[in-house]
Amino acid sequence: MSNYHIKHLEEYFQVYRKSVRNPESFWEEIAEEHFVWRKRWNKVLEWDFKKPEIKWFEGAQLNITENCIDRHLSTRSHKTAILFEPNNPKEKSQKITYFQLYERVNQFANVLREQGIQKGDRVCIYLPMIPELAVSLLACARIGAVHSVVFAGFSATALSIRINDSDSKMVITSDGSFRGEKTTDLKGIVDDALEKSPCVKSVLVVKRTNSNIFMKEGRDLWIQPLLDKASKICQMEIMDAEDPLFILYTSGSTGMPKGMLHTIAGYMVYTAYTFKNVFQYREDDVFWCTADIGWITGHSYIVYGPLANGATTVMFEGIPSYPDFGRFWEIIEKHKITQFYTAPTAIRALAKENLEYVEKYDLSSIKVLGTVGEPINEEAWHWYNNNVGKKHSPIVDTWWQTETGGILISPIPFATPTKPTYATLPLPGIQPVIMDKNGKEITENQVDGRLCIKFPWPAIARTIWGNHERYRETYFSTYKKKYFTGDGALRDEVGYYRITGRVDDVIIVSGHNLGTAPIEDAINQHPAVAESAIVGFPHDIKGNALYGFVILKETGESRVHENVRIEINQIIAEHIGPIAKLDKIQFTSGLPKTRSGKIMRRILRKIANNDFNNLGDTTTLLNPEVVQEIIDNAL
Ligand code: PRX
């Protein structure tokens, strides 16, 4: 019997028990029955969390695009694979069938090959949410190139850092992007980035906004004329199971962003399996995940997971507030969306608007609702449940990470009873544990602590590109033989998990992971700034917002302070992107430090949260007097 599709709670428990008792045979059965392999594996799993080394389906050969496209052609050739909804509702939506996708990916892959891209080369993709974005990922995968998508909201500096770290040979971009009323000159950002990225030899440009852009002779090419000439047949590269599929950067507590490396077979099996179960996907469903493909959610649940199941997946170019706050609901009605997957920050923003925006549209097609990226607060959960799901569509609160490749903890709709703010139960194959302060596993229920996973699952990232030691140190050194997630969690009396948030210096703002270190580095580049520290504080819509404590080299008049405030946010936008701007900036004469010179962020966090009473023992600080000054001037 196949374990592939769980339909009720009893079945979930049965399948879960089996997956834990014998993970190898569990995943082997799924891999065998639901995918196309060019060569079978020798061994299902090899792992050692100490080294760390994780290998799934070693010895197997395949191409993920054969699984996501070619194999559907005999039965789903005319079915819509990608449904593109443009930013402007007046522009027509596009339905790309599986056959058209096949041809477009092949042409794109042929162009990449003609331009000298070979198996193993890294290709940086910096595109808005247009069909070419999905097509370019698949085209890379077709020829065995490793894609590294950079979210098109990142600045030139952030883009350049990621291009250099991955040593990308090519950038794929567009003349510009449309988001709401705004047109952004993406090609200009790429031009700036490439001044510091000599590894890039060529740039392929998609026409989207028809902006007048600069094309550098010998480096930049419009892609359309090349596609028009390219063959619609492209022989796929036969890849090893553990060959790299993509690099995707995520923020760390310190230093450079981490280029998480995902490999082909395990990622494919896991994203396909979780897509099918978490969204209870059925053949004629129309699935919409509102994430950007620049993040892992888009990779796994707009592109690979849905296409591996032969699903119809929606790509939306725009934003929820354009032309008005009814845009999401209008799209659900228009395309009869059956599963809708979004972020709590979007729900909170839309819940603030007039209910008429939701009520105006027929949302009866919806069967399952999902959230991802940050904890969902109770109020937002109920608003979503009452007004979008009309109390009959289960909400799947899906917990996972860039590093995990796919969803690890989530209800299975119509099987797992949901509970507001709880991600509920681990999916089959996932063995979460809660650790106490002393590094010991807590086995009983009704506890909280730090969340780890004690057994590998197929989609776990295999390394940090170019820095395996950092991978070991970040995820496998805190707790012996366990993957440490960096999240706090509690487990209730029935074993349901609730994720309480990051326990490190990563702050999630509007669902985007931001590391404090790069933001502080950016601020410190302002000539008037001596030192800075960033912490998060609760925000109604964004979940968290950023609070900066800044020491100026010279304290001047308040007029000067105002200018510096504006300039600090400009520097942050230039170095990282507008998403990392600070909501509050407090100037101070000092920062609370330990005797070894480390900033005590715990104290700053409390002050930013207006929690002045429980600051703990401050007498051991190097400079305890500064705490009162910071409290007195808190914003
Ligand atoms: O803190 C958790 C939070 O987002 C982090 C991972 O961020 P990223 O790698 O950008 O991936 C986001 C999309 C998968 C986690 O460490 N997070 C993600 N989902 C949830 C969540 N926090 C609470 N509830 C969730 N459902």
Side-chain angles (χ1 to χ4, degrees), residues 250 296-297 371-375 397-403 485 487 499 501-502 508 511 513:
T250 188
I296 191 71
T297 309
T371 71
V372 60
E374 53 180 321
D397 177 350
T398 65
W399 172 82
W400 58 298
Q401 309 177 295
T402 305
E403 295 85 337
T485 63
D487 281 329
I499 313 304
R502 301 292 309 179
I508 303 184
N513 266 10

Side-chain angles (χ1 to χ4, degrees), residues 257-316:
K258 299 171 288 191
M260 303 316 305
L261 182 81
H262 284 282
T263 57
I264 301 169
Y267 176 82
M268 171 185 79
V269 169
Y270 194 76
T271 52
Y273 176 76
T274 50
F275 173 75
K276 176 81 179 166
N277 284 292
V278 172
F279 300 106
Q280 286 292 304
Y281 168 73
R282 307 267 174 159
E283 186 62 36
D284 295 320
D285 288 347
V286 181
F287 175 82
W288 181 20
C289 163
T290 69
D292 193 292
I293 293 176
W295 311 113
I296 191 71
T297 309
H299 280 59
S300 303
Y301 300 108
I302 296 178
V303 182
Y304 290 111
L307 296 178
N309 282 281
T312 299
T313 179
V314 175
M315 274 184 80
F316 175 46

Side-chain angles (χ1 to χ4, degrees), residues 51-321:
K51 270 185 184 166
E53 184 179 75
I54 304 141
K55 291 179 180 167
W56 283 92
F57 309 111
E58 249 228 310
Q61 291 193 317
L62 74 162
N63 188 291
I64 197 168
T65 66
E66 180 169 34
N67 282 279
C68 287
I69 309 172
D70 305 42
R71 67 161 162 155
H72 303 311
L73 296 181
S74 59
T75 51
R76 302 185 178 105
S77 159
H78 300 295
K79 177 176 175 174
T80 303
I82 295 175
L83 202 169
F84 171 63
E85 178 63 33
N87 176 57
N88 185 341
K90 293 200 184 101
E91 194 183 321
K92 266 181 77 175
S93 36
Q94 287 174 35
K95 291 183 173 169
I96 303 170
T97 65
Y98 271 92
F99 185 69
Q100 289 164 337
L101 183 64
Y102 167 78
E103 292 193 331
R104 285 178 70 163
V105 168
N106 282 346
Q107 284 182 306
F108 209 116
N110 282 326
V111 170
L112 295 180
R113 271 199 184 131
E114 273 165 32
Q115 295 301 315
I117 299 299
Q118 295 174 354
K119 178 176 171 178
D121 286 344
R122 273 80 59 210
V123 174
C124 173
I125 301 172
Y126 187 72
L127 279 172
M129 281 286 284
I130 53 177
E132 286 80 359
L133 175 51
V135 170
S136 63
L137 264 66
L138 295 161
C140 286
R142 185 95 178 158
I143 62 166
V146 181
H147 56 76
S148 166
V149 182
V150 177
F151 172 60
F154 276 118
S155 70
T157 309
L159 173 61
S160 173
I161 287 172
R162 287 159 177 77
I163 291 173
N164 294 345
D165 186 74
S166 59
D167 194 17
S168 291
K169 242 178 153 172
M170 174 188 270
V171 176
I172 303 172
T173 189
S174 66
D175 50 356
S177 69
F178 295 128
R179 275 171 67 77
E181 302 275 6
K182 226 167 96 189
T183 305
T184 306
D185 173 16
L186 290 191
K187 176 63 169 53
I189 297 173
V190 171
D191 290 339
D192 288 348
L194 294 194
E195 291 195 3
K196 292 197 194 109
S197 295
C199 52
V200 172
K201 303 294 173 240
S202 55
V203 179
L204 296 182
V205 186
V206 178
K207 195 167 259 188
R208 174 61 183 140
T209 53
N210 277 314
S211 319
N212 194 4
I213 57 163
F214 165 73
M215 296 289 279
K216 186 171 173 179
E217 186 81 37
R219 186 194 71 183
D220 304 348
L221 290 168
W222 289 104
I223 192 157
Q224 197 55 49
L226 303 175
L227 289 171
D228 291 341
K229 277 187 279 172
S231 160
K232 291 176 178 162
I233 294 171
C234 172
Q235 190 146 30
M236 67 187 86
E237 198 74 43
I238 302 301
M239 305 296 289
D240 290 338
E242 283 293 339
D243 276 339
L245 176 63
F246 65 85
I247 299 169
L248 186 60
Y249 286 88
T250 188
S251 303
S253 309
T254 53
M256 289 273 294
K258 299 171 288 191
M260 303 316 305
L261 182 81
H262 284 282
T263 57
I264 301 169
Y267 176 82
M268 171 185 79
V269 169
Y270 194 76
T271 52
Y273 176 76
T274 50
F275 173 75
K276 176 81 179 166
N277 284 292
V278 172
F279 300 106
Q280 286 292 304
Y281 168 73
R282 307 267 174 159
E283 186 62 36
D284 295 320
D285 288 347
V286 181
F287 175 82
W288 181 20
C289 163
T290 69
D292 193 292
I293 293 176
W295 311 113
I296 191 71
T297 309
H299 280 59
S300 303
Y301 300 108
I302 296 178
V303 182
Y304 290 111
L307 296 178
N309 282 281
T312 299
T313 179
V314 175
M315 274 184 80
F316 175 46
E317 185 184 27
I319 54 173
S321 55

